[in-house]
Amino acid sequence: MPVEFLGIAATNEGSEVTPRAGASFDKEYTLRLARAHEDHGWDRVLFAYGSGSPDPSPAAAYVAARTEKLQILVAHRPNVSYPTFAAKTFATLDRISDGRLAVHFITGGNDHEQQREGDFLTKDERYARTREAIQIIKRAWTSHEPFDHEGTHYRFNDFVSDTFPVQQPHPQVSFGGSSPAAYAAGGAEADIYCLWGEPLARTAEQIAAVKEAARAAGRTDVPRIQVAFRPIIAPTEELAWEKAHHTLARIRARRADAPPSRRHPLKNPENTGSRRLLEVAAEGERHDRALWTPTAAETGGAGNSTALVGTPETVARALLDYYDLGVDILSARGYDLLDDAIDFGRHVIPLVREEVAKRDASHPAA
C-alpha cells in the first residue's frame, strides 16, 4: 500500500527548543517551510490549532495559493464555529487548493485550553459534539437540497450551501484520540485516525481498537492509520544520540523560560493520549528499534512528543516497523523545524518509499 508523509506547517520558527523572534504569523517563514516540505518529498502539512494561535484556515489558504502539489491538513475545533459555517469555510479552501484539503477535527483534551474560547462541556460531551459536527459538515458538503437538523448540540432549519468542495464525495476527515469515546467517534466518522508514537505493541492494540469501533459503527471500511513522531537523525548513531540529549537539554531550558500559564502539566494530564505517553516513558527511555521517550516525559506527554533517534537508515527501519503494523501515514516533525524538514525529506523519506515500493512489488494486491 502507498505510504504518505505529514509534516508541520508552522507559522513561525518557534518550537520546544527555539523561541520565536517575531510575530506569531510570519508570512515569509510560513511559505518557506511549506515549500521546503513540497520540495523534499512530503505529501502534506498540518496547520495546527491553538486558542491564541493564528487561524489555520486563512494560513492554509495563503500557502495553498502559493504551492502546487502540497496537500494541506487543517485542524479544527468544533466549538469555535457553527458546523454550517465551517463546512463553507472548508469547501472554499478545497476550491482554493484545487482539491488538496483534509480536515483534522480536534475534540480537545484539556479543559483549561477549551475554556479559553468559551467551551465548558465535559470531555465526553465534547466527543459527542465533534461526532455530530462531522456528520453535519459531511452532509453540508454533499447535499444540494435544503435540510434540517435537530441534535444534542446543534439545531437549524432549511440549510443548503452554494459552495461545494472539489473532492468527491468530500475532503478526508482526520481524527485523533486514545480513549474509548475517541475510538467510538473516530471509528465511526474518520477517514484517517491519528495516533501519537507509542511502542509497536501498544500501537497495534490501538489500531485494533479503532478497527473494532469502525465495525461497531456499521462501517464496511476502516480508517487509515497515522502515527506521529519527532525524528532526531544524524550521520552516525553516536552523533544522533548526542543530538538527542542536546535536544532534551534545549527543551528543558526553553520550558524553564516559558510563562507558567503556557506550560502543559508535567503530571496528571487530562487527556488519555498524554497519560499513555507518560506511562510509556515511565516504563523506560528506549523502546523497540529507536523510540525514545524523555522528550515526552519532559513535556508532560504534550502532543506529538516521542522521538525516533538514529541514523536515517535506523529511523527509516523504525518507521517501516509501523508500516508493517498497518500504518500508512507517517507524521514527523523535528525540533528545528525548517532544517529538520529538509534533512528528513532528503535522507529518510526516500529510504522508506524505496522499501515500501519493494514490498509492494513482491506482494502485489490480490
Side-chain angles (χ1 to χ4, degrees), residues 33-356:
L33 182 61
R35 285 177 170 165
H37 282 86
E38 184 171 56
D39 293 342
H40 291 90
W42 298 79
D43 295 286
R44 59 169 59 92
V45 289
L46 167 66
F47 290 82
Y49 191 94
S51 59
S53 301
D55 187 339
S57 290
Y62 170 74
V63 166
R66 292 162 177 81
T67 55
E68 296 180 359
K69 59 184 180 180
L70 187 68
Q71 299 173 55
I72 54 178
L73 176 61
V74 173
H76 172 65
R77 289 181 184 168
N79 62 292
V80 300
S81 67
Y82 209 74
T84 50
F85 179 85
K88 294 184 294 181
T89 298
F90 298 135
T92 303
L93 186 49
D94 199 49
R95 288 280 161 184
I96 292 171
S97 66
D98 294 322
R100 289 182 278 151
L101 174 72
V103 182
H104 180 63
F105 286 84
I106 301 174
T107 297
N110 181 287
D111 288 347
H112 182 211
E113 170 67 6
Q114 294 300 122
Q115 290 167 9
R116 282 172 165 152
E117 293 189 284
D119 184 8
F120 289 86
L121 296 185
T122 67
K123 184 179 177 182
D124 284 350
E125 288 172 335
R126 293 198 297 265
Y127 275 116
R129 179 184 58 195
T130 300
R131 186 169 180 176
E132 186 177 341
I134 293 172
Q135 292 168 346
I136 293 168
I137 290 170
K138 285 181 177 177
R139 188 169 182 187
W141 279 339
T142 56
S143 177
H144 292 262
E145 298 296 330
F147 65 96
D148 303 337
H149 178 84
E150 185 167 351
T152 303
H153 299 282
Y154 303 104
R155 178 182 177 184
F156 56 85
N157 294 328
D158 202 40
F159 176 79
V160 63
S161 178
D162 193 35
T163 305
F164 295 93
V166 172
Q167 297 176 78
Q168 296 297 316
H170 55 70
Q172 290 189 316
V173 167
S174 171
F175 188 93
S178 297
S179 67
Y183 297 146
E189 301 296 340
D191 301 299
I192 300 168
Y193 200 98
C194 307
L195 303 171
W196 291 332
E198 296 186 12
L200 291 164
R202 291 172 64 106
T203 301
E205 292 171 358
Q206 290 211 77
I207 292 173
V210 171
K211 290 182 176 179
E212 178 57 33
R215 289 190 290 268
R219 292 179 60 168
T220 56
D221 64 339
V222 295
R224 299 168 65 202
I225 302 297
Q226 172 184 303
V227 179
F229 302 98
R230 307 299 292 271
I232 300 174
I233 62 172
T236 68
E237 295 293 328
E238 181 181 7
L239 288 174
W241 285 105
E242 287 182 9
K243 182 178 178 181
H245 288 288
H246 179 60
T247 298
L248 184 61
R250 295 172 69 194
I251 291 173
R252 288 172 175 158
R254 176 86 172 95
R255 181 173 177 79
D257 292 338
S261 64
R262 298 295 179 89
R263 295 175 184 171
H264 181 88
L266 290 180
K267 297 180 179 179
N268 303 318
E270 296 173 28
N271 62 306
T272 303
S274 291
R275 291 199 300 269
R276 288 178 64 99
L277 294 186
L278 292 181
E279 289 171 3
V280 171
E283 292 169 1
E285 290 192 356
R286 298 178 66 169
H287 299 261
D288 301 325
R289 192 187 299 272
L291 190 68
W292 193 54
T293 63
T295 47
E298 185 61 34
T299 57
N304 175 15
S305 55
T306 48
L308 292 177
V309 181
T311 64
E313 293 77 12
T314 295
V315 171
R317 287 194 293 270
L319 292 169
L320 288 162
D321 291 337
Y322 288 89
Y323 176 84
D324 290 339
L325 290 181
V327 176
D328 64 346
I329 303 176
L330 300 169
S331 174
R333 172 164 55 103
Y335 288 96
D336 294 296
L337 300 178
L338 181 61
D339 290 343
D340 287 350
I342 293 170
D343 286 347
F344 188 87
R346 283 176 173 168
H347 302 299
V348 178
I349 289 178
L351 296 177
V352 176
R353 291 199 192 281
E354 181 181 5
E355 184 58 32
V356 167

